[in-house]
Amino acid sequence: MADNRNGNVKAPDGKTSGQSNTYTINLENFNKRLKSFYSHWDQHKNDLWGSSDAIAIATPPASEDLRYLKSSALNIWLLGYEFPETIMVFTNKQIHFLCSQKKASLLETLKKSAKESVGAEVVIHVKARGDDGSALMDGILRAVHVHSKSDGHESPVIGYIVKEAPEGNLLEIWAEKLRNSGFQLGDVTNGFSDLFAVKDSTELMNVKKAAFLTSSVMKHFVVPKLEKIIDEEKKVSHSSLMDDTEKAILEPAKVKVKLKAENVDICYPPIFQSGGDFDLRPSASSNDENLYYDSTSVIICAIGSRYNSYCSNVARTFLIDANAIQSKAYEVLLKAHESAINALKLGNKVSAAYQAALSIVEKDAPELAANLTKSAGTGIGLEFRESGLSLNAKNDRVLKSGMVFNVSLGFQNLQAQTNKSKTEKFSLLLADTVIVGEKLPEVVTSISSKAVKDVAYSFNEDEEEEEQPNVKAESNGTEAFLSKATLRSDNHEMTKEELRRQHQAELARQKNEETARRLAGGGSGTGDGRRTVRASGELIAYKNVNDIPQTRELVIQIDQKNEAIILPIYGSMVPFHVGNVKTVVSQQDNNRTGYIRIIFNVPGTPFNPHDSNSLKFQGSIYLKEVSFRSKDPRHISEVVQQIKTLRRQVASRESERAERATLVTQEKLQLAGNKFKPIRLSDLWIRPVFGGRGRKIPGTLEAHVNGFRFSTSRPDERVDVMFGNIKHAFFQPAEKEMITLLHFHLHNHIMVGNKKTKDVQFYVEVMDVVQTLGGGKRSAYDPDEIEEEQRERERKNKINMDFQNFVNKVNDLWGQPQFRDLDLEFDQPLRELGFHGVPHKASAFIVPTSSCLVELIETPFLVVTLSEIEIVNLERVGLGQKSFDMTIVFKDFKRDVLRIDSIPSTALDGIKEWLDTTDLKYYESRLNLNWRQILKTITDDPEKFIEDGGWEFLNMEVSDSDSENSEESDQGYEPSDVQSDSESSSKDDSESLVESEDEEDDSEDDSEEEEGKTWEELEREASNADREKGDESDSEEERKRRKMKAFGKGRVPDKRDPRGGPPKRAKLR
C-alpha cells in the first residue's frame, strides 16, 4: 500500500498530501483498537499469536506498486495512516516506536492514551538522518529481554510476520538483529488475520462507501460503455477499457458518487477479458486485444475500489447472443453464487458457503462441477485477500457478525460447442462484496445487477448471418443443390420456433407445479379483487325533536345545515335525512298543476342491500315513496333543484369519507430541510386532477427524505407519495406522444383531491396547441414553419432532458443503503415491443417494460405486474383473422381476468416472443372463453384441476392431436358445470368486443366437419333447419314463435343474436 497510490494515506511529515492542515491521530479509535488488540493477544496467545511475549512489526518504505501487507494494514487500522520505514514492538508494559523525527512528533500524542487504555508506556526512538538505527534497535531488544525476564521468561518469544521479507536498509538490519538476538521467533500472521476479520462500525461504513463506488462505476460507467461499443461496433482494446474505468473510479463525480477523490483508490487495475482468453484469478490483467463481442461471445469485467484503504470488489459476466449451453451455465452459476451468499450467516462455518455453491452445481449441472473455482472467495477489508478467511471447503472458522467477504465464484474453460475459435471456450465469473449481519448477509454491491435479463444481450435476432455449410457433392450431385432459402427455413426459423416451443413446454410444467403448490396451500391468491358492498352508517338529521325547525306553513322545506328535507304528512312536519332519498322527480299537467315525487332507499330492493340500519330495525315499516301536488310550479322546481343539489353534496362527501376509511395509513413525509437540497421538477400537471371548479394550475414535484411531494400554489392542492408505497415507477419520454411523464403505481391507494387512486402521474405537454388562422396550406419550405418545428424539437428535447436528470438523481437516491430493500428504480417502456389493443373502451398503444405491461397515455391507465401473471391466453387466433384478443389470468384467481381486445394479427409473433423471453406461459385458442366460470370451477375443485393436467386443457396443439383418437379428449379439461354444447353465458362474460357471428359460424362449421358426419345426418339437419326457418311467406311473429317452441324453454331469444338464438359459448379446448 504505497503512500503515492493511496489518496487517503497521509504524508510522513504529518500533512495530508496536497493539503496544508496538520493531520492528527484519532485517539478514540486508537484507544478502542489498542485495547482490542491487547485483549485478543491475551485470549489467543497460544493458538493464534505463536505464544509471543513481544510482537515486532516493521513497515517497509513506500512503493509505487499496489501491494497488501499486514504491517501496513496494522498502521492504518491502529493509527489511521501508514508509517513507512517504522518499527513497532509491543510488549505487556511498553510500546516501542523506531522512526524519524517528523513521525515521532505525531506519535507523542499516544503516550497518555496508551497508558490509560492498556497500561503500556510508549517509548519513541528517534532515528537521526544518516543513522542506520543499529544502536536504537539494540536498546529495544534489551528492553524486551528485561521486561520478559521480570515476567519470568528467560527466553522470550518475539512474534513477527514471517511472509513479509525485509525491504530497505533499516528493515534488513532489523531482521538480522532479530535472527542474532537469541530470542525465539514465532509467526503472528494468523493473529492479525483474526483481529482484522471482524470490522467495527467505522470500518463497515468505509467498506459500504467503497462498495457503493464500485457498483456505481459498474452500473453507470462500465455497462453503458460496453453497450455503446457493441451497438456502434467500435474496436476498443481491453487495456483501453481498463484505463478509462480506472479514471472513473479515481474521479467519483463522473458516476455521480459524492465521495472525496483524495480518499479513493483502486484495489487493482480493472480487468476486462473476452475472445476466449480468460483468467479468473485476482492477479489477472487486461491485455491489448480488442473487445470481442460477436455472437455467443462472453465478456468478463471485474473492478475493485478502496475508500480510506478499505477494499470492495464486484465482477460481472456479460453474454452476447448466448447459446443454450452458455445460458444454462450462467443460470446455474447465478443460483450457486446466491446460495453461497445466503450461507454466510452468523454461527455457520466459513466452509458452508462453498459447500452450498457446490451442492447447487452438483444438483443442477453435475457436468460443470469440475470447472467450478476451488473457492467461493476470500475475506476482504484493509487487504484485498485476508489470509485465513478463504471460502473453501476446508475452512472451519466460525462466521461472526461484522466479517466482510468478497464472494467470487466462476466456471473456468467451458466448451461452448461453436465453430469459432474465439467463442469455443468460455468462462464465467460473478463477485460481490458481502457483510455478515446479525440475521442475514448484506450484499453491499447489489445495485449492480447480475440478473440474466440485465447481463444477457441479443443483438442479432433480426440479422442472423446465413452460414453456408461446406457441402461436398457426391456422385449423384443431389446434395450440392441445397439452396439458401432451404437452409434459412430449416436451420434458422424452425430452430427458433422449436426452441420457443421447448421453452414453453418447460414453462407449462413449472407453471402447473407452481399452481398446484399454491392451490394445495389453501388459497388462490392474496385477496379478492371484486369490490364488496359497504354498509352505510346511521343517517341522523336531528338528535332531538326540539331541534326540528318550527313553521306554520305546511310546505316542503329544505334544511341545508342539518342536511334534511321536511315533508308535511297528515298535518305534521316530518324530517328525512337527504341521504335516504333515492330519486326526486317533478312533472306538470295541462292545468298548470305540479307534482313532486320523492322515492326513498328501501332495504331489500334491487341495488339496495340490507345495511346496518335495516338489520338494526328489522321489524320496522319503511316508507318507499311520497307524492305531493302544488299549484306553484316554480316552488316545485326550486324544491327539486335544492334536494338534488343537497343530495349530490352529501353523497360526494360520504363517498369520499368511505374511500378514506379504506385507506392504509401512510408514514409521514420527512422534508429534506438541512439534510440535502430536495430534488425538484417544476411546471408539472397531475393525473388524476384535483377537484374544484377553479382554473387548473401546474405544480412542482420534489423528492424528500422518504417520499415525493407534489404541490401547487393553492394550499389545499398537495399530494405526498411515500417511497415505501411505490410499487413501480415509470419514466416515459415523449417520442411519438404529446407528453413526457413520470408515473407511480402504488401498493396502497391514496387520495388525490377527493379521488381514491393507485396510479399517480406527473406530466408536461411537449408541444403547444397551435391553430392556423389563415386556413390555407403552408409550404414545407416556409421559414416560419421551419423555425416553429425547430422550437418544438428544442422544447421537447429540453423537457426530456430535465425529466431524465430528475430520474437519474432519484435513482441515485434510491440506490442508498436505506432504500435497498424497496428495490426501486425508474423503468422505461420499450416502445419497440409495443402493440395496439383495447384494454378498456378505446384503442391504445400498450408497451412492455422490464417488469410490467403498461399503457400510460390514455385513462384509465393500465399497469400489469408481470410477476402477478399466472398465464396468458391468446384468443381468436387463426388463419384469416385480422385481430386477436389477449386474456391475462392472474395468480389471484379471485381477481377478474384482464382482456385486451382487437390486437392486430401482425403483432402476434412479437407478443409470443416477448412472452417467451419474460418466462410467461401462453396458450392459444380459436374462441373467447368464459373465464369467470373457468376460475370458479378451478377454485371450487382444485384437486380435479390438478389431476386433469392443470392448464394443459388450453393447449390447442394437444387437443388437436388427440381429437383423432377420441371425442372426449378433444374437449381437453372441461369444468363439470360447463358443457361444450351448452348455451352461452352473457356477452359481458365471454364474448369479445370485436367478435362477429360469421366467425362463430365458421368455427362451428369447422368443428362439425372435423367430426365427420354421415350424409343421413347432414340431410336430417338440413330438413330440421328448413322446418325451423319456415316458408318465406311466414310472418316474423310466426318465425319467432316457432323458434321459441324449438328452443324448449319459452324464453325470449337474445336480440343481440341475428339468428334468434343465444350466442354459443366457446368450447374449452
Side-chain angles (χ1 to χ4, degrees):
M1 286 188 192
D3 290 2
N4 312 37
R5 291 288 313 182
N6 271 342
N8 58 296
V9 174
K10 291 10 179 227
D13 61 358
K15 294 185 180 180
T16 308
S17 303
Q19 296 182 7
S20 58
N21 60 309
T22 303
Y23 180 79
T24 56
I25 295 173
N26 187 326
L27 295 180
E28 184 182 350
N29 268 351
F30 174 77
N31 286 347
K32 182 173 64 175
R33 293 177 182 177
L34 184 66
K35 191 181 295 185
S36 174
F37 171 36
Y38 270 80
S39 174
H40 194 278
W41 182 14
D42 183 57
Q43 291 176 17
H44 303 280
K45 181 176 180 179
N46 295 325
D47 56 335
L48 295 175
W49 295 96
S51 303
S52 301
D53 300 305
I55 296 175
I57 304 298
T59 312
S63 171
E64 286 290 336
D65 298 330
L66 275 170
R67 58 183 183 178
Y68 297 95
L69 302 172
K70 278 197 165 41
S71 56
S72 300
L74 177 63
N75 281 189
I76 297 168
W77 182 77
L78 191 61
L79 304 173
Y81 62 98
E82 188 177 356
F83 281 80
E85 292 191 288
T86 299
I87 297 172
M88 297 185 292
V89 179
F90 299 88
T91 67
N92 288 335
K93 298 178 181 179
Q94 290 183 330
I95 303 174
H96 296 268
F97 289 94
L98 193 157
C99 57
S100 65
Q101 178 61 57
K102 290 183 179 179
K103 295 171 190 171
S105 62
L106 283 174
L107 298 172
E108 285 288 340
T109 59
L110 305 179
K111 290 185 176 182
K112 183 179 178 181
S113 298
K115 195 71 175 176
E116 291 175 352
S117 58
V118 296
E121 178 189 1
V122 173
V123 182
I124 300 175
H125 307 267
V126 179
K127 184 179 78 70
R129 188 183 297 273
D131 182 12
D132 62 3
S134 297
L136 299 174
M137 295 175 193
D138 290 336
I140 293 173
L141 294 175
R142 280 195 302 271
V144 171
H145 187 271
V146 170
H147 283 291
S148 62
K149 193 171 183 180
S150 64
D151 292 337
H153 301 289
E154 288 293 334
S155 179
V157 178
I158 294 184
Y160 74 111
I161 301 170
V162 173
K163 292 184 178 180
E164 290 190 11
E167 297 180 27
N169 186 48
L170 181 70
L171 269 62
E172 288 174 355
I173 295 173
W174 171 249
E176 184 67 26
K177 292 279 185 183
L178 276 183
R179 283 195 298 269
N180 299 329
S181 63
F183 297 144
Q184 297 182 47
L185 302 179
D187 189 8
V188 292
T189 302
N190 291 338
F192 282 117
S193 295
D194 198 64
L195 178 64
F196 296 153
V198 178
K199 278 74 176 172
D200 60 30
S201 58
T202 304
E203 294 177 284
L204 291 178
M205 184 53 67
N206 287 331
V207 170
K208 289 180 179 180
K209 288 181 178 179
F212 182 70
L213 173 60
T214 305
S215 47
S216 296
V217 170
M218 178 67 80
K219 179 179 180 179
H220 300 301
F221 181 81
V222 173
V223 172
K225 190 169 185 68
L226 290 177
E227 290 175 348
K228 186 176 182 181
I229 290 171
I230 297 171
D231 194 42
E232 297 178 2
E233 299 184 2
K234 292 182 178 179
K235 291 185 178 181
V236 180
S237 67
H238 298 137
S239 55
S240 175
L241 284 169
M242 175 194 72
D243 293 337
D244 292 343
T245 306
E246 182 174 336
K247 291 175 183 176
I249 294 173
L250 297 177
E251 298 178 35
K254 279 190 174 182
V255 288
K256 298 181 180 178
V257 175
K258 296 179 180 179
L259 295 177
K260 293 182 179 179
E262 60 265 23
N263 295 334
V264 168
D265 197 9
I266 60 171
C267 288
Y268 55 86
I271 300 172
F272 289 87
Q273 302 178 90
S274 65
D277 186 12
F278 298 101
D279 183 358
L280 303 187
R281 294 175 298 178
S283 57
S285 60
S286 303
N287 58 31
D288 292 328
E289 295 291 325
N290 286 336
L291 187 72
Y292 187 79
Y293 45 81
D294 279 4
S295 181
T296 67
S297 61
V298 171
I299 301 171
I300 291 179
C301 173
I303 57 177
S305 69
R306 290 189 288 179
Y307 181 79
N308 284 343
S309 296
Y310 283 85
C311 301
S312 66
N313 186 54
V314 68
R316 295 289 181 259
T317 299
F318 303 98
L319 309 175
I320 312 299
D321 294 318
N323 60 24
I325 295 173
Q326 293 170 328
S327 297
K328 180 185 177 183
Y330 186 84
E331 289 171 2
V332 172
L333 178 64
L334 180 61
K335 191 174 178 182
H337 191 252
E338 286 296 328
S339 181
I341 291 173
N342 292 333
L344 294 175
K345 293 180 180 178
L346 186 66
N348 283 359
K349 291 184 177 180
V350 173
S351 57
Y354 186 75
Q355 294 290 359
L358 183 61
S359 63
I360 292 292
V361 177
E362 289 177 341
K363 176 185 175 183
D364 294 353
E367 69 278 6
L368 303 180
N371 301 88
L372 186 67
T373 51
K374 301 307 177 187
S375 80
T378 61
I380 191 171
L382 287 167
E383 299 174 275
F384 184 72
R385 286 178 286 178
E386 292 185 336
S387 57
L389 287 179
S390 178
L391 296 175
N392 55 39
K394 299 178 181 179
N395 196 335
D396 291 333
R397 293 180 67 173
V398 177
L399 292 168
K400 300 176 183 177
S401 178
M403 288 184 170
V404 184
F405 290 92
N406 167 32
V407 183
S408 177
L409 199 68
F411 287 126
Q412 180 80 49
N413 293 331
L414 298 177
Q415 299 293 326
Q417 297 182 5
T418 64
N419 54 2
K420 299 177 184 177
S421 60
K422 289 195 172 185
T423 59
E424 188 176 2
K425 287 185 178 181
F426 71 98
S427 298
L428 304 174
L429 180 66
L430 288 175
D432 276 299
T433 305
V434 181
I435 297 174
V436 179
E438 291 289 343
K439 295 181 179 179
L440 295 173
E442 180 183 0
V443 183
V444 289
T445 50
S446 59
I447 65 169
S448 173
S449 176
K450 57 188 173 186
V452 177
K453 64 183 180 66
D454 294 321
V455 301
Y457 293 86
S458 181
F459 292 97
N460 297 326
E461 284 187 354
D462 299 324
E463 300 178 0
E464 292 278 357
E465 292 186 5
E466 299 170 358
E467 297 182 5
Q468 180 73 34
N470 187 13
V471 182
K472 293 185 178 179
E474 296 192 5
S475 56
N476 57 11
T478 55
E479 293 187 10
F481 292 96
L482 292 173
S483 68
K484 276 191 175 183
T486 305
L487 287 172
R488 185 168 182 83
S489 173
D490 293 344
N491 297 342
H492 175 63
E493 293 179 356
M494 290 302 293
T495 303
K496 188 175 179 180
E497 180 64 25
E498 286 172 1
L499 285 173
R500 192 161 70 194
R501 288 184 180 180
Q502 289 175 6
H503 187 222
Q504 284 293 307
E506 176 63 21
L507 286 176
R509 183 187 64 78
Q510 295 175 3
K511 182 57 63 180
N512 283 328
E513 290 177 357
E514 176 192 328
T515 307
R517 284 195 301 270
R518 195 168 66 250
L519 291 175
S524 61
T526 56
D528 193 340
R530 302 186 182 95
R531 296 185 62 179
T532 56
V533 178
R534 292 180 51 81
S536 63
E538 292 188 4
L539 300 173
I540 300 174
Y542 302 102
K543 293 181 180 180
N544 195 304
V545 176
N546 298 326
D547 295 336
I548 302 175
Q550 300 298 323
T551 179
R552 293 181 180 179
E553 291 184 285
L554 295 177
V555 294
I556 300 174
Q557 296 183 0
I558 313 299
D559 186 352
Q560 299 278 354
K561 180 180 178 182
N562 294 293
E563 300 172 352
I565 57 173
I566 306 172
L567 306 178
I569 300 177
Y570 295 115
S572 300
M573 300 301 290
V574 182
F576 294 86
H577 193 283
V578 75
N580 287 321
V581 176
K582 184 178 180 181
T583 56
V584 55
V585 292
S586 64
Q587 63 184 36
Q588 187 175 341
D589 60 14
N590 296 331
N591 298 326
R592 296 187 59 80
T593 301
Y595 296 89
I596 180 170
R597 182 185 179 200
I598 302 173
I599 303 172
F600 297 97
N601 288 313
V602 179
T605 56
F607 306 106
N608 285 284
H610 290 277
D611 62 9
S612 59
N613 283 335
S614 63
L615 296 175
K616 184 177 179 181
F617 306 107
Q618 294 186 20
S620 302
I621 298 174
Y622 290 87
L623 179 65
K624 187 174 183 180
E625 67 176 78
V626 61
S627 298
F628 295 92
R629 184 178 62 185
S630 173
K631 292 288 186 180
D632 187 358
R634 181 180 296 177
H635 176 65
I636 286 182
S637 127
E638 289 177 357
V639 166
V640 169
Q641 187 62 38
Q642 288 177 3
I643 293 175
K644 286 184 176 180
T645 303
L646 181 59
R647 182 176 174 274
R648 190 184 308 116
Q649 292 172 355
V650 172
S652 175
R653 188 197 65 214
E654 291 298 322
S655 174
E656 182 179 345
R657 182 182 297 171
E659 294 287 6
R660 289 185 183 276
T662 61
L663 295 177
V664 176
T665 303
Q666 303 287 335
E667 60 181 314
K668 189 175 180 181
L669 182 71
Q670 299 177 26
L671 299 179
N674 298 326
K675 295 181 181 179
F676 63 88
K677 185 179 179 181
I679 308 167
R680 183 177 284 107
L681 195 58
S682 303
D683 297 326
L684 302 180
W685 302 94
I686 185 173
R687 292 197 289 186
V689 297
F690 292 109
R693 299 179 180 275
R695 186 177 65 88
K696 302 297 184 294
I697 56 177
T700 300
L701 182 66
E702 295 179 339
H704 291 276
V705 176
N706 63 335
F708 295 102
R709 168 165 288 178
F710 177 81
S711 58
T712 69
S713 57
R714 295 186 183 127
D716 58 332
E717 293 186 349
R718 191 173 73 185
V719 176
D720 292 342
V721 180
M722 299 298 107
F723 293 157
N725 193 29
I726 297 175
K727 187 175 183 180
H728 300 292
F730 304 101
F731 163 51
Q732 182 168 313
E735 292 184 16
K736 296 183 179 180
E737 298 85 11
M738 295 289 289
I739 62 173
T740 296
L741 62 88
L742 299 178
H743 188 98
F744 299 108
H745 183 65
L746 310 178
H747 289 286
N748 302 306
H749 291 86
I750 64 170
M751 297 298 292
V752 177
N754 58 359
K755 300 181 184 70
K756 181 179 175 183
T757 182
K758 263 192 176 183
D759 289 278
V760 185
Q761 186 177 109
F762 307 98
Y763 69 96
V764 170
E765 294 179 353
V766 296
M767 292 187 184
D768 296 324
V769 178
V770 178
Q771 183 175 5
T772 304
L773 299 178
K777 287 187 177 181
R778 299 175 67 176
S779 169
Y781 302 100
D782 186 345
D784 293 337
E785 185 81 9
I786 295 172
E787 185 179 350
E788 187 177 306
E789 290 178 358
Q790 181 64 27
R791 280 199 304 270
E792 288 180 352
R793 279 195 297 270
E794 290 174 356
R795 172 180 163 81
K796 182 172 76 170
N797 292 337
K798 182 181 183 303
I799 290 172
N800 287 343
M801 185 59 66
D802 290 343
F803 272 69
Q804 184 67 64
N805 291 336
F806 179 84
V807 165
N808 291 339
K809 290 177 182 177
V810 173
N811 278 337
D812 292 341
L813 178 64
W814 285 343
Q816 294 179 7
Q818 64 267 32
F819 302 120
R820 192 164 296 137
D821 293 339
L822 299 179
D823 193 23
L824 289 176
E825 186 177 10
F826 276 100
D827 208 350
Q828 194 162 328
L830 308 169
R831 284 193 59 89
E832 60 273 15
L833 300 178
F835 55 90
H836 289 276
V838 182
H840 299 293
K841 293 182 179 179
S843 179
F845 188 62
I846 303 163
V847 192
T849 72
S850 60
S851 58
C852 295
L853 183 67
V854 302
E855 192 285 304
L856 305 175
I857 304 297
E858 303 294 335
T859 55
F861 304 119
L862 175 70
V863 179
V864 181
T865 306
L866 300 185
S867 61
E868 295 176 358
I869 296 177
E870 175 77 4
I871 60 158
V872 174
N873 194 44
L874 306 176
E875 302 179 348
R876 296 195 307 109
V877 175
L879 294 174
Q881 297 282 7
K882 293 183 179 180
S883 63
F884 67 95
D885 307 327
M886 176 192 292
T887 300
I888 296 174
V889 183
F890 297 98
K891 292 179 180 178
D892 179 4
F893 290 163
K894 294 179 181 178
R895 183 176 172 186
D896 284 333
V897 299
L898 173 69
R899 286 280 299 276
I900 302 176
D901 294 311
S902 303
I903 304 172
S905 296
T906 53
L908 181 61
D909 286 338
I911 290 175
K912 285 183 182 178
E913 187 66 27
W914 166 67
L915 291 171
D916 191 61
T917 54
T918 50
D919 290 339
L920 285 175
K921 176 59 187 168
Y922 66 84
Y923 293 94
E924 299 178 43
S925 62
R926 295 190 180 96
L927 298 174
N928 297 111
L929 306 182
N930 182 1
W931 280 102
R932 183 168 292 181
Q933 188 64 47
I934 292 173
L935 295 180
K936 182 178 183 300
T937 306
I938 293 173
T939 52
D940 288 347
D941 192 358
E943 293 182 0
K944 186 176 187 304
F945 169 71
I946 295 167
E947 289 172 3
D948 291 347
W951 293 110
E952 283 305 290
F953 75 89
L954 293 170
N955 194 335
M956 196 163 59
E957 295 179 2
V958 173
S959 301
D960 290 344
S961 62
D962 291 348
S963 64
E964 300 174 1
N965 300 326
S966 69
E967 182 181 350
E968 191 176 311
S969 64
D970 179 62
Q971 297 173 356
Y973 169 70
E974 188 168 312
S976 57
D977 57 344
V978 181
Q979 300 299 327
S980 60
D981 294 328
S982 67
E983 297 155 357
S984 171
S985 61
S986 68
K987 187 166 184 176
D988 293 337
D989 289 343
S990 62
E991 292 297 316
S992 166
L993 294 174
V994 294
E995 186 171 15
S996 67
E997 296 298 330
D998 294 336
E999 294 170 5
E1000 189 174 344
D1001 289 341
D1002 293 341
S1003 64
E1004 188 67 18
D1005 294 342
D1006 292 343
S1007 65
E1008 289 177 358
E1009 289 176 9
E1010 288 175 2
E1011 291 173 4
K1013 296 184 178 181
T1014 63
W1015 285 108
E1016 289 80 9
E1017 290 174 335
L1018 294 173
E1019 187 174 357
R1020 189 163 52 251
E1021 288 180 2
S1023 62
N1024 290 338
D1026 291 338
R1027 193 161 49 249
E1028 182 180 317
K1029 290 179 181 178
D1031 297 330
E1032 292 180 0
S1033 60
D1034 287 348
S1035 67
E1036 187 66 19
E1037 290 295 323
E1038 284 289 327
R1039 293 180 186 176
K1040 286 185 178 181
R1041 188 161 56 250
R1042 194 178 289 111
K1043 282 193 175 185
M1044 288 166 61
K1045 185 176 179 181
F1047 219 60
K1049 292 187 179 179
R1051 63 178 180 178
V1052 179
D1054 193 334
K1055 295 180 180 180
R1056 290 172 297 181
D1057 193 330
R1059 297 173 300 174
K1064 296 182 184 296
R1065 175 178 292 171
K1067 280 189 179 182
L1068 297 177
R1069 303 182 69 84

